[in-house]
């Protein structure tokens, strides 16, 4: 199949493919999603096939307005309404109880709830409005690989398997949305993202459970997606915990026979001399740029076949750093460089 690349001026052609039941990848402020008409079961099934995604892992329904959520979900709580007002459009996905049978089990993974999100990307909102249907959208990567933050990443994984992609350049946030479960008594963050627990608590005035995304192997994961291997490049990633560990880490790198990938901020890269066998990938200057560039860096070194090991900088586990460290820990399989 030919994968057509659409610019943001070709929305109606992309919407036509969605209405025909085809798959079209779309940009959001977080990562690119793999879009299909959420009300077309056959189209939704194709999403799992194209990604190689386990079929019990439910999808996020992307909407252009709150009215669409109200069509499918049970009446929204006051907390939900406040959060929608504060954070939509934006990187906050919320899980609501559904009206019975409102969405196909292929969308919900057979659950009585579904995840909804109003992405902050004008072209994609236009696409949903033009297609006149909400679209499901897991991240548009092969299952298990880092999420795509450019159209080129999507093409690398899915070219020939999907009908089209709407290209709107690199995404802003770089890590996927916060997933907040509002279907139970206490709101719980199932996946950390750019909308932090503190920001949510400030809006709803009640505590948010954050323990669920630290699921151990023996527990039953609340978000089905949490139990699968994630964000894993071909190379082994080592997390470098502290600024003062870098000289040792680079000394170790210099002793290796093969090329080593180094992902760090400009500050780290400028004060440490890189050995000749190291290749750098800048994470910019702060946690915002590091989150934006993390998946691109992991993917960059995947294309360099010589590179089997990557050293990657740690960030403080607060604010956006919680989301960054969650993704980095998964991609490294919790492996740290130890001095
Ligand atoms: O930023 C994002 O959220 C991106 C862009 C494309 O919108 N999408 C994304 O989708 O990351 P995906 O499918 O890769 O991740 C959705 C996560 C999965 O971990 C899934 O298990 C969880 O949300 N999820 C979806 N519906 C759920 C539900 N009803 N109950 C619990 N977890 C759910
Ligand atoms: Mg994903």
């Amino acid at each position: 199949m030919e994968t057509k690349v659409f610019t943001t001026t070709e929305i109606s052609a992309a919407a036509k493919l969605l209405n025909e039941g085809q798959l079209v990848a779309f940009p959001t402020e977080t990562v690119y999603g793999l879009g299909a008409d959420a009300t077309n079961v056959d189209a939704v099934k194709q999403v799992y096939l194209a990604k190689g995604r386990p079929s019990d892992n439910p999808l996020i329904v992307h909407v252009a307005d709150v009215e669409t959520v109200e069509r499918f979900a049970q009446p929204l709580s006051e907390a939900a309404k406040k959060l929608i007002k504060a954070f939509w459009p934006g990187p906050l996905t919320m899980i609501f109880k559904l009206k019975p049978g409102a969405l196909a089990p292929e969308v919900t993974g057979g659950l009585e709830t579904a995840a909804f999100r109003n992405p902050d990307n004008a072209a994609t909102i236009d696409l949903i409005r033009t297609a006149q249907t909400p679209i499901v959208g897991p991240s548009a990567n092969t299952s298990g690989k880092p999420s795509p933050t450019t159209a080129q990443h999507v093409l690398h994984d899915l070219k020939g398997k999907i009908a089209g992609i709407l290209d709107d350049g690199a995404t802003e946030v770089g890590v996927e949305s916060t997933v907040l479960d509002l279907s139970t008594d206490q709101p719980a963050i199932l996946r950390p993202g750019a909308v932090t627990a503190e920001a949510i608590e400030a809006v709803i005035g009640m505590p948010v459970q954050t323990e669920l995304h630290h699921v151990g192997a023996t527990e039953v994961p609340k978000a089905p997606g949490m139990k699968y291997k994630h964000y894993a490049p071909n190379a082994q990633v080592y997390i470098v915990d502290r600024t003062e560990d870098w000289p040792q880490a680079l000394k170790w790198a210099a002793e290796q026979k093969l090329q080593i990938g180094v992902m760090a901020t400009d500050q780290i890269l400028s004060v440490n001399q890189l050995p000749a066998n190291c290749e750098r990938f800048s994470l910019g200057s702060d946690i915002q740029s590091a989150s934006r560039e993390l998946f691109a860096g992991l993917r960059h070194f995947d294309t360099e076949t010589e590179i089997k090991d990557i050293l990657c900088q740690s960030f403080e586990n607060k604010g956006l750093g919680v989301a960054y460290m969650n993704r980095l820990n998964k991609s490294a399989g919790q492996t740290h460089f130890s001095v």
Side-chain angles (χ1 to χ4, degrees):
M1 167 189 317
E2 188 205 346
T3 303
K4 292 202 185 82
V5 180
F6 299 107
T7 68
T8 54
T9 59
E10 298 169 307
I11 302 288
S12 47
K16 187 164 172 283
L17 291 179
L18 286 171
N19 289 136
E20 288 167 1
Q22 311 234 46
L23 306 187
V24 178
F26 59 93
T28 79
E29 77 281 37
T30 58
V31 302
Y32 274 74
L34 178 53
D37 178 349
T39 64
N40 180 335
V41 174
D42 289 331
V44 173
K45 282 185 185 160
Q46 294 303 315
V47 169
Y48 288 90
L49 286 178
K51 270 187 68 99
R53 182 177 174 110
S55 61
D56 65 345
N57 192 1
L59 304 173
I60 296 173
V61 179
H62 294 73
V63 300
D65 49 55
V66 183
E67 290 68 36
T68 308
V69 179
E70 289 169 333
R71 233 169 74 209
F72 297 106
Q74 298 201 8
L76 300 179
S77 65
E78 283 312 308
K81 287 181 190 161
K82 283 185 193 160
L83 290 169
I84 286 171
K85 194 155 177 255
F87 298 114
W88 277 13
L92 177 64
T93 294
M94 282 179 272
I95 295 172
F96 299 125
K97 282 198 192 117
L98 286 175
K99 291 176 183 160
L103 285 165
E106 283 76 5
V107 175
T108 63
L111 301 171
E112 288 168 2
T113 57
F116 293 91
R117 158 160 148 76
N118 178 217
D120 191 8
N121 180 282
T124 287
I125 293 300
D126 198 3
L127 177 68
I128 297 169
R129 290 219 167 98
T130 308
Q132 297 190 322
T133 183
I135 56 179
V136 293
S139 47
N141 50 283
T142 300
S143 208
K145 289 289 150 197
S147 295
T149 55
T150 66
Q152 287 69 37
H153 297 160
V154 177
L155 289 170
H156 177 270
D157 285 14
L158 298 175
K159 192 173 180 190
K161 295 184 177 175
I162 61 176
I165 172 166
L166 179 56
D167 185 353
D168 191 24
T171 62
E172 269 297 304
V173 179
V175 290
E176 307 87 340
S177 62
T178 306
V179 177
L180 179 70
D181 190 354
L182 287 176
S183 71
T184 54
D185 288 342
Q186 197 193 4
I189 293 184
L190 305 185
R191 179 178 70 185
V195 176
T196 62
E198 296 74 34
I200 292 169
E201 284 172 347
V203 169
I204 61 178
M206 63 169 130
V208 171
Q209 213 179 325
T210 57
E211 295 313 306
L212 286 175
H213 57 78
H214 306 302
V215 162
T218 57
E219 293 166 79
V220 178
K222 189 81 202 316
M226 297 191 307
K227 67 176 183 263
Y228 300 109
K229 194 174 167 203
H230 254 101
Y231 316 116
N234 299 329
Q236 173 64 51
V237 180
Y238 296 90
I239 302 169
V240 181
D241 289 314
R242 300 170 309 171
T243 304
E244 57 267 37
D245 295 338
W246 277 100
Q248 284 282 2
L250 293 172
K251 186 162 170 278
W252 168 83
E255 292 158 3
Q256 307 309 304
K257 290 205 178 63
L258 294 173
Q259 293 273 109
I260 307 286
V262 174
M263 293 172 59
T265 53
D266 293 331
Q267 294 92 309
I268 297 284
L269 293 171
S270 65
V271 299
N272 291 282
Q273 181 88 39
L274 250 53
N277 66 331
C278 286
E279 196 194 319
R280 71 177 62 208
F281 184 94
S282 170
L283 293 176
S285 57
D286 55 21
I287 185 61
Q288 271 76 26
S289 57
S291 298
R292 188 163 59 231
E293 298 298 336
L294 176 65
F295 292 148
L298 296 174
R299 281 178 172 268
H300 171 75
F301 289 126
D302 257 4
T303 60
E304 315 278 318
T305 50
E306 288 283 291
I307 290 181
K308 299 274 187 288
D309 294 310
I310 297 171
L311 294 167
C312 185
Q313 185 176 339
S314 179
F315 274 83
E316 201 185 342
N317 205 21
K318 66 165 212 226
L320 182 57
V322 177
Y324 173 92
M325 290 309 295
N326 173 271
R327 308 313 189 270
L328 178 57
N329 268 309
K330 288 187 180 187
S331 67
Q334 320 265 12
T335 312
H336 296 253
F337 178 81
S338 52
V339 289

